[in-house]
Amino acid sequence: MTIAWRSIARHLLQVVAFCCVIAVLTTAIWPRHSYGVQLVGSLCIGLVTWAVIEFGRLLVPGRLCHTDGEGGHGWPKGWRGGALAAAGIGTGFLLGDPLGQWLTGTGGYRSARDGQLSLLITIAAGAVATYYFHMRGRAAALEAGRSAAERDASEARLRLLQSQLEPHMLFNTLANLRALIGVDPAAAQQMLDRLNDYLRATLAASRATRHPLAAEFERLRDYLSLMAIRMGPRLAFDLHLPDDLRALPVPPLLLQPLVENAIQHGLEPRVGGGRIDVSAAREGDALVLAVRDTGVGFDPAHRPAGRFGMAQVTERVLSAYGGRGRVDVQSRPGDGTVIRLTLPL
């Protein structure tokens, strides 16, 4: 059993603060005893009650408890929670009250009426404190459920966007392959073999919502090598990934649509082709991924139609990183394009 000691310590401090408030009340009722004496008695009752409830709930099977905000044991469900609270309050009074009297030397100075009033205060205070922790635990469980639902919805949205990108990449590649068959059958066969290997590696891995950045760069290398068969010397490329960033998780197919656009809309229209550079770097508390090409460029204020994937990449960055990611485009006609993805680490 994993015990959340930080949560237990937080509950303990809250109980101590609550006992300090109760001691103010009991000092007003029994002014013949100082606040310090009342505080010792209040702490004895409160801490015994807290210990019984706090550690007693850990004995209840997890399936019968609400989940707290840290994924552990929360408040027991149904009648079990009420029974545990009653046991804690009863034990707190039966053990804590005489313990407090013994520690403060006040035993024998209390009438039967005072004892009854002390019991009522213990029951009332225990009920208030129990209700407080119950509502806090319930709110934490609801918040955990809401966060899980949002996470599931975000993953579903990412998978939808990803499912739009995968066939588009495949159709583009097949169209390039068809064009190559008529002019260079040998190169077309080589391209088909590379495509087969590429799809085996890519389609299986792309079913996840995250994969290591190194895997993203490996797929880019495979894809660019595939395109280099058709374009020949018209395509040069370089991938730069520092070793300390290789294991960072990113959404699959995050950079590939940008590379496809760089080839189709940047390098293809240029007679001599050009170069594509993809890099990753750490800038402060952010990961910056950049795709640079030496293609024909465009005016960012009037982005040309047909650049499929840009909107999907932007939405995936915003969805995957809770709005903290950013996509920046820098381009100028005749001067290439740079697209930077800034992702929080």
PDB file of all heavy atoms in Angstrom, residues 14-32:
ATOM      1  N   GLN A  14      -4.103  20.816   9.317  1.00  0.00           N
ATOM      2  CA  GLN A  14      -5.455  21.386   9.311  1.00  0.00           C
ATOM      3  C   GLN A  14      -6.194  21.030  10.606  1.00  0.00           C
ATOM      4  O   GLN A  14      -6.923  21.863  11.163  1.00  0.00           O
ATOM      5  CB  GLN A  14      -6.223  20.868   8.093  1.00  0.00           C
ATOM      6  CG  GLN A  14      -5.712  21.430   6.778  1.00  0.00           C
ATOM      7  CD  GLN A  14      -6.373  20.772   5.574  1.00  0.00           C
ATOM      8  OE1 GLN A  14      -6.712  19.596   5.612  1.00  0.00           O
ATOM      9  NE2 GLN A  14      -6.557  21.539   4.517  1.00  0.00           N
ATOM     10  N   VAL A  15      -5.997  19.815  11.094  1.00  0.00           N
ATOM     11  CA  VAL A  15      -6.642  19.406  12.343  1.00  0.00           C
ATOM     12  C   VAL A  15      -6.090  20.209  13.513  1.00  0.00           C
ATOM     13  O   VAL A  15      -6.846  20.653  14.404  1.00  0.00           O
ATOM     14  CB  VAL A  15      -6.445  17.893  12.571  1.00  0.00           C
ATOM     15  CG1 VAL A  15      -6.863  17.503  13.991  1.00  0.00           C
ATOM     16  CG2 VAL A  15      -7.256  17.100  11.566  1.00  0.00           C
ATOM     17  N   VAL A  16      -4.783  20.420  13.538  1.00  0.00           N
ATOM     18  CA  VAL A  16      -4.175  21.216  14.612  1.00  0.00           C
ATOM     19  C   VAL A  16      -4.756  22.635  14.611  1.00  0.00           C
ATOM     20  O   VAL A  16      -5.098  23.188  15.669  1.00  0.00           O
ATOM     21  CB  VAL A  16      -2.647  21.252  14.459  1.00  0.00           C
ATOM     22  CG1 VAL A  16      -2.024  22.278  15.405  1.00  0.00           C
ATOM     23  CG2 VAL A  16      -2.060  19.868  14.728  1.00  0.00           C
ATOM     24  N   ALA A  17      -4.875  23.237  13.407  1.00  0.00           N
ATOM     25  CA  ALA A  17      -5.442  24.583  13.320  1.00  0.00           C
ATOM     26  C   ALA A  17      -6.892  24.587  13.809  1.00  0.00           C
ATOM     27  O   ALA A  17      -7.330  25.524  14.509  1.00  0.00           O
ATOM     28  CB  ALA A  17      -5.367  25.075  11.877  1.00  0.00           C
ATOM     29  N   PHE A  18      -7.646  23.545  13.480  1.00  0.00           N
ATOM     30  CA  PHE A  18      -9.044  23.457  13.910  1.00  0.00           C
ATOM     31  C   PHE A  18      -9.128  23.320  15.436  1.00  0.00           C
ATOM     32  O   PHE A  18     -10.002  23.922  16.085  1.00  0.00           O
ATOM     33  CB  PHE A  18      -9.705  22.261  13.226  1.00  0.00           C
ATOM     34  CG  PHE A  18     -11.189  22.178  13.441  1.00  0.00           C
ATOM     35  CD1 PHE A  18     -12.041  23.118  12.897  1.00  0.00           C
ATOM     36  CD2 PHE A  18     -11.746  21.151  14.191  1.00  0.00           C
ATOM     37  CE1 PHE A  18     -13.417  23.053  13.086  1.00  0.00           C
ATOM     38  CE2 PHE A  18     -13.109  21.068  14.393  1.00  0.00           C
ATOM     39  CZ  PHE A  18     -13.946  22.027  13.830  1.00  0.00           C
ATOM     40  N   CYS A  19      -8.207  22.553  16.027  1.00  0.00           N
ATOM     41  CA  CYS A  19      -8.198  22.390  17.488  1.00  0.00           C
ATOM     42  C   CYS A  19      -7.884  23.714  18.180  1.00  0.00           C
ATOM     43  O   CYS A  19      -8.412  23.991  19.277  1.00  0.00           O
ATOM     44  CB  CYS A  19      -7.161  21.341  17.883  1.00  0.00           C
ATOM     45  SG  CYS A  19      -7.629  19.645  17.448  1.00  0.00           S
ATOM     46  N   CYS A  20      -7.029  24.523  17.555  1.00  0.00           N
ATOM     47  CA  CYS A  20      -6.725  25.843  18.133  1.00  0.00           C
ATOM     48  C   CYS A  20      -7.978  26.707  18.200  1.00  0.00           C
ATOM     49  O   CYS A  20      -8.194  27.462  19.159  1.00  0.00           O
ATOM     50  CB  CYS A  20      -5.648  26.537  17.305  1.00  0.00           C
ATOM     51  SG  CYS A  20      -4.021  25.749  17.404  1.00  0.00           S
ATOM     52  N   VAL A  21      -8.834  26.602  17.186  1.00  0.00           N
ATOM     53  CA  VAL A  21     -10.087  27.369  17.173  1.00  0.00           C
ATOM     54  C   VAL A  21     -11.046  26.826  18.235  1.00  0.00           C
ATOM     55  O   VAL A  21     -11.700  27.604  18.960  1.00  0.00           O
ATOM     56  CB  VAL A  21     -10.733  27.311  15.770  1.00  0.00           C
ATOM     57  CG1 VAL A  21     -12.103  27.995  15.785  1.00  0.00           C
ATOM     58  CG2 VAL A  21      -9.824  27.951  14.741  1.00  0.00           C
ATOM     59  N   ILE A  22     -11.144  25.503  18.341  1.00  0.00           N
ATOM     60  CA  ILE A  22     -12.032  24.902  19.340  1.00  0.00           C
ATOM     61  C   ILE A  22     -11.605  25.296  20.753  1.00  0.00           C
ATOM     62  O   ILE A  22     -12.437  25.530  21.646  1.00  0.00           O
ATOM     63  CB  ILE A  22     -12.048  23.369  19.192  1.00  0.00           C
ATOM     64  CG1 ILE A  22     -12.653  22.987  17.828  1.00  0.00           C
ATOM     65  CG2 ILE A  22     -12.832  22.726  20.312  1.00  0.00           C
ATOM     66  CD1 ILE A  22     -14.071  23.436  17.625  1.00  0.00           C
ATOM     67  N   ALA A  23     -10.274  25.397  20.958  1.00  0.00           N
ATOM     68  CA  ALA A  23      -9.780  25.778  22.284  1.00  0.00           C
ATOM     69  C   ALA A  23     -10.234  27.181  22.665  1.00  0.00           C
ATOM     70  O   ALA A  23     -10.444  27.471  23.849  1.00  0.00           O
ATOM     71  CB  ALA A  23      -8.258  25.682  22.318  1.00  0.00           C
ATOM     72  N   VAL A  24     -10.377  28.065  21.689  1.00  0.00           N
ATOM     73  CA  VAL A  24     -10.891  29.409  21.973  1.00  0.00           C
ATOM     74  C   VAL A  24     -12.330  29.310  22.495  1.00  0.00           C
ATOM     75  O   VAL A  24     -12.714  29.989  23.471  1.00  0.00           O
ATOM     76  CB  VAL A  24     -10.828  30.284  20.699  1.00  0.00           C
ATOM     77  CG1 VAL A  24     -11.503  31.632  20.944  1.00  0.00           C
ATOM     78  CG2 VAL A  24      -9.386  30.484  20.263  1.00  0.00           C
ATOM     79  N   LEU A  25     -13.125  28.449  21.863  1.00  0.00           N
ATOM     80  CA  LEU A  25     -14.519  28.264  22.279  1.00  0.00           C
ATOM     81  C   LEU A  25     -14.599  27.687  23.692  1.00  0.00           C
ATOM     82  O   LEU A  25     -15.376  28.174  24.536  1.00  0.00           O
ATOM     83  CB  LEU A  25     -15.237  27.353  21.285  1.00  0.00           C
ATOM     84  CG  LEU A  25     -16.667  26.939  21.652  1.00  0.00           C
ATOM     85  CD1 LEU A  25     -17.579  28.157  21.710  1.00  0.00           C
ATOM     86  CD2 LEU A  25     -17.198  25.909  20.652  1.00  0.00           C
ATOM     87  N   THR A  26     -13.818  26.651  23.961  1.00  0.00           N
ATOM     88  CA  THR A  26     -13.889  26.015  25.285  1.00  0.00           C
ATOM     89  C   THR A  26     -13.344  26.930  26.378  1.00  0.00           C
ATOM     90  O   THR A  26     -13.795  26.850  27.537  1.00  0.00           O
ATOM     91  CB  THR A  26     -13.118  24.688  25.279  1.00  0.00           C
ATOM     92  OG1 THR A  26     -11.755  24.915  24.862  1.00  0.00           O
ATOM     93  CG2 THR A  26     -13.763  23.689  24.317  1.00  0.00           C
ATOM     94  N   THR A  27     -12.389  27.805  26.035  1.00  0.00           N
ATOM     95  CA  THR A  27     -11.895  28.775  27.025  1.00  0.00           C
ATOM     96  C   THR A  27     -12.989  29.753  27.409  1.00  0.00           C
ATOM     97  O   THR A  27     -13.109  30.168  28.574  1.00  0.00           O
ATOM     98  CB  THR A  27     -10.674  29.534  26.466  1.00  0.00           C
ATOM     99  OG1 THR A  27      -9.649  28.599  26.127  1.00  0.00           O
ATOM    100  CG2 THR A  27     -10.130  30.517  27.489  1.00  0.00           C
ATOM    101  N   ALA A  28     -13.815  30.128  26.429  1.00  0.00           N
ATOM    102  CA  ALA A  28     -14.942  31.025  26.729  1.00  0.00           C
ATOM    103  C   ALA A  28     -15.991  30.328  27.591  1.00  0.00           C
ATOM    104  O   ALA A  28     -16.642  30.955  28.436  1.00  0.00           O
ATOM    105  CB  ALA A  28     -15.563  31.517  25.419  1.00  0.00           C
ATOM    106  N   ILE A  29     -16.148  29.010  27.422  1.00  0.00           N
ATOM    107  CA  ILE A  29     -17.146  28.264  28.203  1.00  0.00           C
ATOM    108  C   ILE A  29     -16.629  27.974  29.613  1.00  0.00           C
ATOM    109  O   ILE A  29     -17.377  28.086  30.602  1.00  0.00           O
ATOM    110  CB  ILE A  29     -17.505  26.948  27.479  1.00  0.00           C
ATOM    111  CG1 ILE A  29     -18.163  27.259  26.121  1.00  0.00           C
ATOM    112  CG2 ILE A  29     -18.426  26.085  28.333  1.00  0.00           C
ATOM    113  CD1 ILE A  29     -18.451  26.027  25.283  1.00  0.00           C
ATOM    114  N   TRP A  30     -15.360  27.601  29.724  1.00  0.00           N
ATOM    115  CA  TRP A  30     -14.755  27.291  31.019  1.00  0.00           C
ATOM    116  C   TRP A  30     -13.567  28.229  31.271  1.00  0.00           C
ATOM    117  O   TRP A  30     -12.393  27.825  31.140  1.00  0.00           O
ATOM    118  CB  TRP A  30     -14.276  25.842  31.051  1.00  0.00           C
ATOM    119  CG  TRP A  30     -15.395  24.845  30.946  1.00  0.00           C
ATOM    120  CD1 TRP A  30     -16.381  24.617  31.859  1.00  0.00           C
ATOM    121  CD2 TRP A  30     -15.640  23.950  29.855  1.00  0.00           C
ATOM    122  NE1 TRP A  30     -17.239  23.632  31.430  1.00  0.00           N
ATOM    123  CE2 TRP A  30     -16.805  23.184  30.191  1.00  0.00           C
ATOM    124  CE3 TRP A  30     -15.012  23.695  28.628  1.00  0.00           C
ATOM    125  CZ2 TRP A  30     -17.339  22.219  29.346  1.00  0.00           C
ATOM    126  CZ3 TRP A  30     -15.538  22.721  27.805  1.00  0.00           C
ATOM    127  CH2 TRP A  30     -16.687  21.994  28.148  1.00  0.00           C
ATOM    128  N   PRO A  31     -13.820  29.473  31.616  1.00  0.00           N
ATOM    129  CA  PRO A  31     -12.743  30.457  31.776  1.00  0.00           C
ATOM    130  C   PRO A  31     -11.813  30.170  32.956  1.00  0.00           C
ATOM    131  O   PRO A  31     -10.753  30.806  33.081  1.00  0.00           O
ATOM    132  CB  PRO A  31     -13.494  31.783  31.981  1.00  0.00           C
ATOM    133  CG  PRO A  31     -14.831  31.384  32.515  1.00  0.00           C
ATOM    134  CD  PRO A  31     -15.157  30.069  31.865  1.00  0.00           C
ATOM    135  N   ARG A  32     -12.208  29.228  33.861  1.00  0.00           N
ATOM    136  CA  ARG A  32     -11.336  28.943  35.003  1.00  0.00           C
ATOM    137  C   ARG A  32     -10.040  28.261  34.575  1.00  0.00           C
ATOM    138  O   ARG A  32      -9.074  28.192  35.347  1.00  0.00           O
ATOM    139  CB  ARG A  32     -12.076  28.076  36.023  1.00  0.00           C
ATOM    140  CG  ARG A  32     -12.439  26.686  35.540  1.00  0.00           C
ATOM    141  CD  ARG A  32     -13.172  25.919  36.640  1.00  0.00           C
ATOM    142  NE  ARG A  32     -13.579  24.583  36.234  1.00  0.00           N
ATOM    143  CZ  ARG A  32     -14.723  24.296  35.641  1.00  0.00           C
ATOM    144  NH1 ARG A  32     -15.576  25.292  35.352  1.00  0.00           N
ATOM    145  NH2 ARG A  32     -15.040  23.058  35.318  1.00  0.00           N
TER     146      ARG A  32
END
